[in-house]
Amino acid sequence: MHLSRPNFIHEVELPKAYRLINHGPTVLVSSAHDGRQNVTAAAWNMGLDFTPAKVCVVIDKSTLTRALVERSGEFVLSVPARKIAKQTLQVGGASGCKINKFDAFGIDTFAANRVAAHLVAGCVGWLECKVINEPHNQTAYDLFIGEVIAAHADSRVFRDGHWQYDDTTDANLQTLHYIAGANFLSVSNAFSVKI
């Protein structure tokens, strides 16, 4: 189901967008082209640069997501929260060539600002990206580099350019970190060290 954007989602300054994935979370990669949409999970992703903000993600060449990203030249990285861990695992293990993952797994979405791919509901961060074409990396390593052209975050856990987790944070808003075998870790309390 396509939803309207919740009011707790705010824009993130692009030079701070990398912080949405700098802590190593699993992401959902959504893609769209010519009226077709898909989503998959990716544990291999990272921030790459500040200005312009860039990210990297590995997208397997055999997937529908990859085909849609290559055709459209854009994608969205959504940072799922613990409350959609089951759906995150499901979309990572199913083929979009065989089923509509959004319908099959009850994935809700809302519109992006700058790309056709949708933002996945139940997440706490979103990066709208335009592909920086690097044919060698894409072919040899399935590695896509994206320039972040819009970034959004859930203000309940990301404010002032930083994640804000403490012992009062709803566990359902914790980010996911895939460790294989259908197992995840989730982020907990943040702390600072003074030097």
Side-chain angles (χ1 to χ4, degrees):
M1 177 186 346
H2 194 63
L3 307 171
S4 46
R5 188 176 298 194
N7 62 2
F8 54 77
I9 295 173
H10 67 281
E11 301 300 312
V12 174
E13 297 174 45
L14 293 182
K16 294 182 180 171
Y18 77 95
R19 292 180 181 171
L20 292 172
I21 63 170
N22 200 44
H23 65 297
T26 298
V27 296
L28 296 175
V29 184
S30 52
S31 55
H33 180 71
D34 201 23
R36 193 155 187 204
Q37 298 264 346
N38 197 46
V39 62
T40 194
W44 295 347
N45 66 90
M46 64 180 222
L48 180 64
D49 205 352
F50 309 109
T51 307
K54 294 182 197 77
V55 294
C56 294
V57 63
V58 173
I59 307 171
D60 188 88
K61 62 182 62 59
S62 66
T63 65
L64 176 60
T65 296
R66 169 78 169 259
L68 297 176
V69 168
E70 287 178 333
R71 290 180 190 134
S72 67
E74 59 190 35
F75 59 89
V76 170
L77 298 183
S78 297
V79 182
R82 189 174 184 157
K83 68 181 170 184
I84 65 166
K86 181 178 179 180
Q87 293 165 313
T88 299
L89 194 60
Q90 289 170 320
V91 300
S95 171
C97 296
K98 297 179 181 176
I99 62 170
N100 178 318
K101 295 184 197 181
F102 296 99
D103 293 341
F105 304 123
I107 306 286
D108 293 328
T109 63
F110 47 93
N113 287 357
R114 308 268 314 269
V115 300
H118 292 165
L119 309 181
V120 177
C123 293
V124 292
W126 301 266
L127 300 166
E128 299 180 40
C129 302
K130 180 179 170 86
V131 172
I132 296 172
N133 198 24
E134 292 284 347
H136 173 73
N137 289 335
Q138 292 162 205
T139 301
Y141 308 112
D142 296 331
L143 181 69
F144 282 75
I145 299 172
E147 179 181 341
V148 180
I149 57 175
H152 324 275
D154 185 323
S155 61
R156 296 173 294 178
V157 291
F158 190 91
R159 294 179 303 282
D160 303 321
H162 297 280
W163 290 105
Q164 307 285 329
Y165 286 103
D166 62 29
D167 55 3
T168 65
T169 304
D170 180 347
N172 283 318
L173 297 174
Q174 296 173 347
T175 58
L176 300 174
H177 304 261
Y178 189 66
I179 57 170
N183 295 295
F184 292 96
L185 298 174
S186 60
V187 71
S188 183
N189 297 342
F191 63 93
S192 297
V193 175
K194 305 278 186 203
I195 55 172

